[in-house]
């Protein structure tokens, strides 16, 4: 189906499109499935409850034909007699109605499921348009429904004729039976023929259900532009999402930079890497934690803040790369780097003590700190 912009609906409906259609009450439904379910439920219910229903009707007939003369002319006796008749029939009929009700509900929710839509209940004034009404009456859809109805009636009629022809001798044989037996036999034959005739609707249902599913999917098909627009509406425009990500990254960087003054040391690769470490001496058993890390411009900014707040900056390219690639922000360093980081912290603590006039100058750090091969980047 061509759109106004020249695009065709060639793409399957998305989950969002299906959800919106369901909210509007636009779901696949099969009238044939509902009709077949009701008729089969009624036929099956009559077969299951025929015994109790027949006995109840017999009691009502007996009570009705055995009314005494005094009761017949007593106006006050009419209501008790009616109440007794209703009480005899109420339970078998309620059972039959319950079976038909369950069959009707199942027949309508088997395809499309249960759906309650307030939008579908709202009045639509467009449906009151005479021109649109005529279009629906004489349109392609109306012609298809007419052909379906004619084919369905013809099929059911042929099936009923075949069924009657097959039971023709049995029907004629009822005239040779005594009255009570003939009546029971005729009712039983009628019920079974009704059930088999209802089963003739199943081939029609088997054709209609796939057609309704296909037609529903066809009506909801989308153009490529509609899919792109839906993606933009649900996921957001790429440029907006990119700006949001940049703002979030900037906020995260500002929070990270605020932690640099509290670090004990910043380990750097003079060209690209900077990693700020903090060790809490008051927590026995804890390991040094990465409070800030970055590459290139962020690494330069970390070093600037460290120098501003007099946080020692130690150049160790291999260790800086190892910590950067192995440890996430606000996480403790891995066990394999404990020895190397411990040497750096020991050097820093000795350096801070010497600057305060306590102790001797620290021994310079070795260039080849003990870093396991799996942590070398």
């Amino acid at each position: 189906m061509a759109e106004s912009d020249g695009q065709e609906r060639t793409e399957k409906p998305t989950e969002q499109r299906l959800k919106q259609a369901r909210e509007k009450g636009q779901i696949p439904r099969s009238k044939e499935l509902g009709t077949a379910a009701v008729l089969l439920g009624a036929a099956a219910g009559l077969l299951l409850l025929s015994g109790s229903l027949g006995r109840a009707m017999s009691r009502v007939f007996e009570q009705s034909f055995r009314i005494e003369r005094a009761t017949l002319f007593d106006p006050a006796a009419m209501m008790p007699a009616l109440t007794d008749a209703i009480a005899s029939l109420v339970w078998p009929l309620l059972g039959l109605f319950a079976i038909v009700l369950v069959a009707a509900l199942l027949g309508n929710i088997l395809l499309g499921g249960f759906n309650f839509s307030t939008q579908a209940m709202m009045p639509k004034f467009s449906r009151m348009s005479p021109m649109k009404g005529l279009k629906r009456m004489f349109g392609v859809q109306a012609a298809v429904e007419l052909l379906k109805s004619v084919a369905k009636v013809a099929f059911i009629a042929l099936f009923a004729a075949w069924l009657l022809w097959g039971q023709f001798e049995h029907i004629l044989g009822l005239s040779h039976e005594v009255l009570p037996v003939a009546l029971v036999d005729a009712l039983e034959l009628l019920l079974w023929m009704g059930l088999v005739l209802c089963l003739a609707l199943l081939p029609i249902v088997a054709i209609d259900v796939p057609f309704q599913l296909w037609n529903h999917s066809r009506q909801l098909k989308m153009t490529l532009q509609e899919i792109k627009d839906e993606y933009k509406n649900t996921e957001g425009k790429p440029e907006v999402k990119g700006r949001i990500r940049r703002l979030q990254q900037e906020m995260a960087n500002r929070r990270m930079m605020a932690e640099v003054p509290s670090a004990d040391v910043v380990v750097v690769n003079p060209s690209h890497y900077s990693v700020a470490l903090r060790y809490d001496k008051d927590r026995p058993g804890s390991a040094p934690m990465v409070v800030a890390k970055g590459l290139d411009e962020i690494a330069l900014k970390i070093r600037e803040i460290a120098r501003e707040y007099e946080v020692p900056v130690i150049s160790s390219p291999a260790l800086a790369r190892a910590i950067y690639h192995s440890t996430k922000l606000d996480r403790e360093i891995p066990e394999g780097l404990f020895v190397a980081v411990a040497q750096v912290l020991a050097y820093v603590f000795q350096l801070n003590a010497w600057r305060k006039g306590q102790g001797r100058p620290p021994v310079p750090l070795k260039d080849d700190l003990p870093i396991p091969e799996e942590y070398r980047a």
Side-chain angles (χ1 to χ4, degrees):
M1 186 182 297
E3 292 293 297
S4 59
D5 58 359
Q7 295 191 33
E8 294 184 354
R9 298 181 182 271
T10 57
E11 306 302 313
K12 292 182 179 180
T14 61
E15 291 295 330
Q16 182 68 16
R17 180 67 173 265
L18 293 173
K19 181 180 178 182
Q20 291 175 352
R22 194 172 187 84
E23 291 174 352
K24 295 177 182 178
Q26 189 177 356
I27 55 178
R29 291 293 193 208
S30 173
K31 295 180 180 178
E32 312 303 336
L33 179 59
T35 303
V38 171
L39 293 177
L40 285 171
L46 286 172
L47 281 173
L48 291 173
L49 301 172
S50 58
S52 59
L53 188 59
R55 288 189 294 271
M57 294 180 67
S58 298
R59 286 194 298 271
V60 172
F61 288 153
E62 290 177 2
Q63 293 173 1
S64 300
F65 288 109
R66 291 181 179 179
I67 300 177
E68 297 180 358
R69 180 179 177 82
T71 305
L72 186 63
F73 288 95
D74 185 6
M78 182 175 61
M79 287 306 298
L82 180 61
T83 302
D84 292 341
I86 293 175
S88 300
L89 292 172
V90 64
W91 292 113
L93 289 178
L94 282 178
L96 178 61
F97 294 158
I99 293 175
V100 174
L101 178 62
V102 172
L105 291 175
L106 290 176
N108 282 280
I109 66 175
L110 280 176
L111 183 65
F114 179 79
N115 185 49
F116 181 78
S117 174
T118 56
Q119 296 186 32
M121 298 170 61
M122 298 297 293
K124 293 184 178 180
F125 296 101
S126 60
R127 294 179 179 177
M128 301 175 63
S129 171
M131 296 303 298
K132 290 186 178 180
L134 291 174
K135 185 177 180 181
R136 287 194 298 269
M137 291 174 60
F138 300 101
V140 177
Q141 186 67 25
V144 172
E145 292 297 329
L146 177 61
L147 291 176
K148 283 172 55 180
S149 300
V150 171
K152 180 172 63 175
V153 171
F155 176 76
I156 297 297
L158 290 174
F159 190 85
W162 172 80
L163 186 61
L164 288 172
W165 181 260
Q167 298 294 325
F168 189 69
E169 294 182 1
H170 191 178
I171 295 173
L172 292 179
L174 295 174
S175 60
H176 300 290
E177 298 178 359
V178 294
L179 183 59
V181 177
L183 183 59
V184 173
D185 196 8
L187 289 175
E188 185 178 355
L189 177 63
L190 183 63
L191 289 175
W192 279 108
M193 288 181 65
L195 179 61
V196 174
L197 191 60
C198 292
L199 291 174
L201 294 173
L202 295 182
I204 300 175
V205 172
I207 296 173
D208 187 63
V209 169
F211 171 77
Q212 295 299 334
L213 291 172
W214 171 83
N215 190 45
H216 178 71
S217 179
R218 179 186 63 83
Q219 292 175 348
L220 295 181
K221 277 189 174 182
M222 307 172 67
T223 65
L224 289 173
Q225 185 60 42
E226 286 176 337
I227 293 179
K228 292 178 181 178
D229 294 341
E230 180 184 288
Y231 178 79
K232 289 181 180 180
N233 292 332
T234 56
E235 301 295 332
K237 295 184 178 180
E239 56 271 20
V240 176
K241 291 179 66 178
R243 177 170 176 78
I244 292 175
R245 282 196 297 267
R246 288 194 298 271
L247 292 174
Q248 291 174 341
Q249 186 63 41
E250 290 175 2
M251 293 174 63
N253 288 339
R254 284 197 293 269
R255 289 195 298 269
M256 183 179 68
M257 295 303 177
E259 296 293 329
V260 174
S262 65
D264 293 310
V265 65
V266 174
V267 183
V268 301
N269 173 342
S271 302
H272 303 287
Y273 295 83
S274 289
V275 179
L277 301 175
R278 181 172 61 210
Y279 177 61
D280 190 354
K281 302 176 184 178
D282 298 330
R283 291 177 54 199
S286 63
M289 179 180 293
V290 175
V291 295
K293 68 175 186 175
L295 293 172
D296 300 330
E297 294 181 1
I298 297 178
L300 290 173
K301 186 64 176 178
I302 291 174
R303 289 198 289 272
E304 290 177 5
I305 296 175
R307 293 191 181 96
E308 180 181 352
Y309 287 90
E310 299 182 351
V311 177
V313 178
I314 303 300
S315 177
S316 180
L319 182 59
R321 291 194 299 268
I323 298 175
Y324 182 88
H325 291 293
S326 65
T327 311
K328 294 182 178 180
L329 195 64
D330 296 328
R331 294 291 187 272
E332 294 182 350
I333 62 172
E335 186 176 352
L337 298 177
F338 280 1
V339 176
V341 173
Q343 293 182 15
V344 172
L345 289 175
Y347 172 79
V348 170
F349 293 152
Q350 291 176 11
L351 180 62
N352 290 335
W354 175 69
R355 288 176 176 174
K356 294 178 182 179
Q358 302 172 0
R360 295 175 296 176
V363 179
L365 278 173
K366 298 179 181 179
D367 294 333
D368 54 342
L369 293 173
I371 302 172
E373 288 296 329
E374 61 267 24
Y375 290 104
R376 291 183 178 271

